[in-house]
Amino acid sequence: MSVFLEVVVSVLLVFGSIIMLIGSIGLAKLPDYFTRLHAPTKASTLGVACILVASMIFFSVQLGHVNLKEVLITMFLLITAPVAAHMLGKAGLHYKVKMIDSTKNQHLAKKAYLQQHPDDK
Amino acid sequence: MLTYAILIACALICCALALNAWRLIIGPTTPDRIIAVDTMYINSIALIILLGIHQGSAIYYESALLIALLGFVSTSAFCKYLLRGDIIE
Amino acid sequence: MDKLRKFVWFPTPYHSVLLWLVWQILHDFSRGHMVLGAVFAIVIPWIVAPLSEEAAVAKKPIKALMYTFRLLIDIAVSNYDVAKRVLQSNRSLKPAFIAVPLDIKDPVPLTIFTSSVSLTPGTVSVELSDDRKWLYVHVLHLEDEQALIKLIKDRYEAPLKEIFGC
C-alpha cells in the first residue's frame, strides 16, 4: 500500500470518527428532544460514510480489484436516515415531548398534533 | 500510521457509544431512548468496519450490511409502536 | 379482478438496471454473475411490476444527477453548520417550527423533497399535513423565517418540479 493512500485512509478514518463523536456529543448535550434529533441524523450519517469510503479504498488496494460493496451501505444509510428522522419526529409530536421555552411557533407543533388526533381537543 | 489511525478512530467511536449509552440510560422520554438506539447502531457499523480494516479481512462487510438493514427496520418498528400502539395493523 | 395486463419485456427498466448493478457490486463483477444478474434483472420485474403502483419517473436524468451532487455538497456544509452549533454554547440556540407550503403532490418527488430537507443545514422535516399542502419543519437555529422558506423552495423544490415535470 503506497504512502499516499495510507494517509488518505487514515485521514478519512479519523475525520469520520470525529464527526460521529460530534453527533453523539450533540445527542448528549442539546437541550430538548427536537434539537437532539438534528445531531445524529446528520453527523452520524456523514461520519459513517467517511469510514465506509476509507474501508472501500483500503480493500480495493488490498484485494487488488475494485471493491464497491461499501457503497451499498453508504447509499442505504443516506436514504434511510431522513426517513427514520421523520418517523422519530412524528413519534415525538405524538408523545408531546417537552420543548424548551425559547422554541418559536409552538402552535405549529400543536396543529400537527391535532391532525394526528382529530378528536383530542 | 494506519495502525495508529485505527486506534484513534476506535477510541473516538467508543466515546461516542458511551455518550449514546448515557442518553439511553437517562432518557428522559421514550423517543429520546429510540434516538439513542438509532445512533448506537450507526456507530456499531463503523466499529465493525474498523475491526475489518484492523484484521485485514473483508468478511465483516456482510455483518455491517445486516446491522444497517435491521437497525432501520427496528427504528421504524419502534416509532410505529409509539405512534399507533401496534406494529402490524 | 381487473383486466390482464399486456405483457411487457421490461416493465421497470430503471429498476432492472439498478438490480443488475447491485448484484454486480455484491459479487465483484465476475462473468458468471453478470449472466445470473441479467436473468434476475429481467425475471424479477415480471413478477413484481403488477404489484406496484404507477409512480413518477424522472424526466430529466442529467438534472437529477446534478441535483444529487448539490445535495451531497449541502450535506457536507450542513454537517459543518450543525457541528459548530453543537460545540458552541447551546444557550443562544433559537429553535423553531416552520410550515413550508408545498407545490408538489406526487409521492415520489415529495419523499425526495422531505429527505433533502432533513439532510440539509439545520432542518428536519417532522410532519406532513393531511392534504399534502404543508410540511412542518423543525429548525435548529432560526434567524429569518421567510428567507429560510424561500431558500428551501428555490433550492430544492423548484429543481424537483423541473426534474419530475409536475
Side-chain angles (χ1 to χ4, degrees):
Chain A
M1 195 173 197
S2 70
V3 178
F4 173 69
L5 281 175
E6 202 173 324
V7 170
V8 170
V9 170
S10 311
V11 167
L12 276 173
L13 282 179
V14 174
F15 182 66
S17 46
I18 287 174
I19 296 177
M20 291 183 80
L21 182 60
I22 289 175
S24 294
I25 289 175
L27 180 68
K29 183 184 161 198
L30 285 170
D32 74 338
Y33 176 77
F34 286 102
T35 50
R36 279 199 280 271
L37 198 56
H38 285 268
T41 47
K42 296 191 181 84
S44 295
T45 314
L46 186 76
V48 84
C50 281
I51 289 178
L52 287 167
V53 169
S55 155
M56 208 165 73
I57 298 172
F58 179 82
F59 284 116
S60 292
V61 174
Q62 206 203 27
L63 300 174
H65 56 78
V66 180
N67 176 36
L68 291 176
K69 289 179 178 178
E70 275 84 356
V71 171
L72 290 181
I73 307 185
T74 316
M75 289 313 291
F76 184 79
L77 283 177
L78 275 182
I79 293 170
T80 56
V83 179
H86 185 84
M87 292 191 79
L88 282 166
K90 272 179 102 150
L93 279 179
H94 171 84
Y95 217 76
K96 287 206 266 188
V97 288
K98 276 210 188 74
M99 286 171 254
I100 52 172
D101 295 330
S102 59
T103 307
K104 276 190 233 164
N105 290 340
Q106 294 200 13
H107 64 277
L108 284 175
K110 185 86 184 155
K111 212 164 143 188
Y113 174 80
L114 283 179
Q115 176 196 316
Q116 288 176 350
H117 310 263
D119 47 349
D120 182 10
K121 286 288 179 236
Chain B
M1 179 172 177
L2 193 59
T3 328
Y4 289 113
I6 291 173
L7 273 179
I8 295 168
C10 255
L12 292 175
I13 291 174
C14 287
C15 289
L17 275 167
L19 285 170
N20 295 342
W22 167 247
R23 179 52 71 191
L24 185 66
I25 292 165
I26 62 168
T29 56
T30 320
D32 281 302
R33 297 197 164 97
I34 300 177
I35 298 188
V37 170
D38 188 66
T39 319
M40 264 176 136
Y41 90 77
I42 293 179
N43 287 11
S44 58
I45 292 171
L47 208 56
I48 285 179
I49 294 287
L50 279 177
L51 182 67
I53 297 178
H54 177 67
Q55 301 197 344
S57 77
I59 55 168
Y60 291 101
Y61 159 77
E62 265 81 12
S63 58
L65 187 59
L66 274 179
I67 290 182
L69 294 168
L70 289 180
F72 171 65
V73 172
S74 62
T75 307
S76 33
F78 277 136
C79 291
K80 199 84 182 161
Y81 178 71
L82 275 192
L83 277 169
R84 310 265 182 213
D86 213 345
I87 297 171
I88 301 167
E89 290 166 33
Chain C
M1 197 178 145
D2 55 356
K3 64 180 192 300
L4 278 173
R5 291 184 185 213
K6 201 162 150 276
F7 182 75
V8 200
W9 275 96
F10 295 103
T12 52
Y14 288 118
H15 293 88
S16 296
V17 172
L18 191 69
L19 188 60
W20 189 80
L21 256 182
V22 169
W23 192 265
Q24 296 321 308
I25 290 172
L26 277 173
H27 293 98
D28 289 335
F29 297 90
S30 68
R31 274 182 214 137
H33 279 296
M34 282 194 187
V35 178
L36 187 60
V39 171
F40 282 147
I42 294 170
V43 173
I44 290 178
W46 293 350
I47 305 165
V48 179
L51 303 176
S52 64
E53 292 170 8
E54 284 290 316
V57 180
K59 296 199 174 64
K60 293 179 178 165
I62 297 166
K63 280 250 167 68
L65 266 181
M66 281 176 54
Y67 181 80
T68 315
F69 274 116
R70 200 163 72 182
L71 195 62
L72 287 178
I73 293 169
D74 278 1
I75 291 172
V77 173
S78 87
N79 272 284
Y80 175 70
D81 199 55
V82 169
K84 210 172 64 186
R85 296 235 183 279
V86 164
L87 293 180
Q88 281 169 356
S89 163
N90 298 144
R91 299 247 178 261
S92 57
L93 275 184
K94 283 186 270 179
F97 282 93
I98 56 172
V100 181
L102 291 172
D103 289 336
I104 35 185
K105 293 273 182 293
D106 284 347
V108 174
L110 202 55
T111 312
I112 298 175
F113 175 63
T114 22
S115 301
S116 318
V117 168
S118 283
L119 280 174
T120 46
T123 47
V124 169
S125 63
V126 170
E127 176 68 290
L128 185 68
S129 77
D130 275 338
D131 49 3
R132 289 191 186 164
K133 276 190 183 139
W134 299 91
L135 180 71
Y136 301 110
V137 174
H138 186 265
V139 191
L140 187 58
H141 183 81
L142 183 72
E143 295 285 353
D144 184 356
E145 190 173 340
Q146 293 307 319
L148 183 65
I149 292 176
K150 191 169 179 304
L151 179 80
I152 289 175
K153 281 188 83 73
D154 287 352
R155 203 167 167 79
Y156 304 113
E157 198 178 17
L160 277 177
K161 257 161 80 178
E162 202 179 336
I163 288 167
F164 286 93
C166 60

